[in-house]
Amino acid sequence: MGVGNYMSILRVLHVIDEININSGVNSVVMNYYKYIDKSKIRFDFIVHKPVSHEYIKEFEDNGSSIYVMPELKPQNFASYIKELNCFFREKKEYQIVHGHLPNAAVFYLGAAKRYNVPVRIIHSHNSISADTFKKKIRNNILNSFIPFVANHFMTCSDLAARSLFGRKADKAFQLYNAIDTDSFMFSLENRIKRRKELGLTDDQLLIGHVGRFCNQKNHSFLVDIFSKVVSLIPDSRLLLIGQGELYNEIQEKVKMLDLSEKVIFLGLSEHVNEYLHAMDVFVLPSLFEGLPVSAVEAQTAGLPCYLSDTITPQTIFSDNAYLLSLKDSPVLWAEKICSHYKNKDRKGVYSPDFDIKVQARRLENYYLELSDALKSREQNGQKH
């Protein structure tokens, strides 16, 4: 069976896009999965993309189950709804469904409601519904059904709550995007190792960014900033960690600006913490964010951080993080970066709000309180 006594474990069904530690929302869920007390609570998952056999075995060894649904596309609506109805008709053991895909909530939380799942949580992870006008129209329509299918609300920030829940934002349970702070606290050993691997001297300015190559993360503006940094500090370098649909487009822009020898495209990495230690500055000029995990990791690593002011101020917990306007020129961003990056006494910065060990206990208590309330109502003969 895996971990603990089957009958004593509260099972929570999470609905996500895929099992992936390199995607913002999914990495948050996976962090909590890793640190939740599995003798009390077990996470199971509905996903919408194939999962490797290795992942399935790893999750099953921890007592968790993964259920793969059809990918949600207009041509799949009928089969998607049919699969969900079948799932919730058969799987009567779930008292709590925790959804992380707002624009699909009307389908999966709707099915959960039809089959009497008493606790249906929707979790807001972002500050706007989409990054294009067409997707915004679609998502705003789909999101308008959330109050009819969800009865509990969760958010990573005030900004994300207001974006999705509107007047119900103050009812949302706030759970920050927490990380394993120990692994991200600054290590000189990691810095030396990774800079040597990257072929950098200790004096070279290394600007870093972690994020999926998509419109939201605004890589094009970041490259413009870096081009101005190079005019001020010619020997500087830019390290980009991540993959995504705009990867090739950004590579082409880097070539066009004759920066290919100065920009390092690392791709995905399981050692983001060590590369953050190697950096001198972290830059995140996102068009929008809920509460970016990468900025939390960078601050914990003791980096000076330059973030766009579209990001919620709740992200900032160090004295070395700054919000800049996207209306400001790349020159201004570059000047600030170049004037503040030197930090000879670099230390990691700790915040309990973003410590996964602390926040996982809060999440456990939240689930258990919901479960206890259900038991109390059942004992009193009340309907959910």
Side-chain angles (χ1 to χ4, degrees):
M1 175 52 60
V3 181
N5 183 315
Y6 177 86
M7 296 304 293
S8 67
I9 295 174
L10 174 63
R11 304 176 72 195
V12 179
L13 180 65
H14 286 263
V15 183
I16 58 177
D17 188 30
E18 61 181 318
I19 303 293
N20 183 352
I21 62 171
N22 293 299
S23 167
V25 172
N26 297 329
S27 69
V28 170
V29 178
M30 290 301 107
N31 272 341
Y32 279 100
Y33 165 76
K34 182 178 179 180
Y35 285 93
I36 206 78
D37 186 342
K38 295 177 181 61
S39 69
K40 299 177 182 177
I41 295 170
R42 183 171 89 173
F43 284 11
D44 291 342
F45 299 91
I46 283 180
V47 300
H48 298 80
K49 292 183 181 177
V51 182
S52 69
H53 293 298
E54 291 80 7
Y55 263 140
I56 290 174
K57 184 179 186 307
E58 178 184 336
F59 279 74
E60 287 180 344
D61 287 346
N62 279 319
S64 292
S65 298
I66 299 175
Y67 308 98
V68 181
M69 290 289 162
E71 191 169 357
L72 183 55
K73 295 179 178 180
Q75 59 268 35
N76 289 342
F77 278 179
S79 60
Y80 185 63
I81 294 170
K82 182 179 178 181
E83 289 275 354
L84 286 170
N85 285 335
C86 182
F87 177 88
F88 285 107
R89 187 186 306 119
E90 295 177 359
K91 303 290 183 179
K92 299 292 188 181
E93 61 267 36
Y94 294 110
Q95 291 186 318
I96 301 176
V97 176
H98 188 158
H100 303 271
L101 304 173
N103 63 348
V106 64
F107 302 111
Y108 61 81
L109 290 186
K113 184 178 181 180
R114 278 193 294 278
Y115 291 95
N116 303 312
V117 176
V119 176
R120 303 176 303 276
I121 304 167
I122 189 65
H123 196 143
S124 181
H125 291 274
N126 230 320
S127 59
I128 68 171
S129 61
D131 58 359
T132 67
F133 180 75
K134 185 177 180 180
K135 288 181 180 178
K136 280 183 183 179
I137 296 296
R138 179 201 66 190
N139 288 352
N140 287 342
I141 293 171
L142 292 170
N143 291 349
S144 69
F145 292 97
I146 285 174
F148 302 101
V149 295
N151 56 3
H152 293 272
F153 307 94
M154 192 175 292
T155 185
C156 64
S157 69
D158 291 342
L159 196 62
R162 289 195 298 271
S163 171
L164 189 60
F165 306 136
R167 288 178 293 179
K168 292 189 176 183
D170 60 343
K171 296 182 179 179
F173 178 83
Q174 194 154 114
L175 184 74
Y176 287 155
N177 295 342
I179 63 170
D180 177 4
T181 53
D182 291 341
S183 68
F184 284 92
M185 296 295 279
F186 179 68
S187 162
L188 182 59
E189 180 182 351
N190 285 341
R191 177 180 173 84
I192 292 170
K193 177 178 72 173
R194 293 302 178 182
R195 287 181 76 94
K196 182 178 180 180
E197 170 201 305
L198 295 170
L200 302 174
T201 67
D202 190 54
D203 290 332
Q204 280 182 276
L205 168 60
L206 179 62
I207 296 170
H209 173 91
V210 181
R212 188 165 66 90
F213 282 75
C214 61
N215 186 54
Q216 174 188 356
K217 300 298 180 180
N218 208 9
H219 284 83
S220 182
F221 186 66
L222 175 59
V223 172
D224 289 337
I225 293 169
F226 180 65
S227 70
K228 303 305 178 185
V229 168
V230 169
S231 67
L232 298 171
I233 305 177
D235 205 24
S236 57
R237 297 289 185 271
L238 174 63
L239 176 62
L240 301 176
I241 302 176
Q243 286 183 346
E245 59 269 26
L246 298 183
Y247 190 88
N248 293 336
E249 180 179 313
I250 298 303
Q251 281 190 318
E252 287 301 314
K253 177 164 184 170
V254 166
K255 290 178 183 177
M256 183 183 69
L257 294 175
D258 198 24
L259 295 172
S260 295
E261 293 184 1
K262 298 179 182 294
V263 179
I264 304 165
F265 289 85
L266 193 68
L268 298 177
S269 174
E270 295 181 354
H271 305 287
V272 169
N273 59 326
E274 296 184 5
Y275 287 107
L276 287 171
H277 300 159
M279 297 171 191
D280 298 299
V281 182
F282 180 83
V283 182
L284 185 68
S286 297
L287 298 177
F288 60 93
E289 294 278 359
L291 196 153
V293 177
S294 59
V296 173
E297 294 169 344
Q299 287 177 89
T300 303
L303 280 168
C305 296
Y306 294 88
L307 318 172
S308 55
D309 62 6
T310 55
I311 296 171
T312 175
Q314 287 173 288
T315 304
I316 293 180
F317 59 89
S318 79
D319 295 331
N320 215 11
Y322 312 92
L323 293 176
L324 299 177
S325 173
L326 292 176
K327 295 178 182 178
D328 291 334
S329 69
V331 172
L332 179 62
W333 280 67
E335 288 174 347
K336 289 188 176 293
I337 290 167
C338 292
S339 63
H340 291 124
Y341 81 89
K342 289 294 185 183
N343 187 354
K344 295 296 183 183
D345 300 314
R346 181 168 161 189
K347 297 178 182 177
V349 181
Y350 174 79
S351 169
D353 287 342
F354 297 100
D355 185 340
I356 192 65
K357 298 181 185 68
V358 174
Q359 296 306 313
R361 302 293 83 78
R362 286 185 66 237
L363 183 59
E364 284 169 17
N365 291 335
Y366 175 80
Y367 288 143
L368 293 171
E369 286 172 6
L370 289 173
S371 181
D372 289 343
L374 290 175
K375 292 174 184 175
S376 177
R377 288 201 290 271
E378 287 173 355
Q379 290 170 359
N380 294 327
Q382 299 175 4
K383 292 183 178 181
H384 299 310

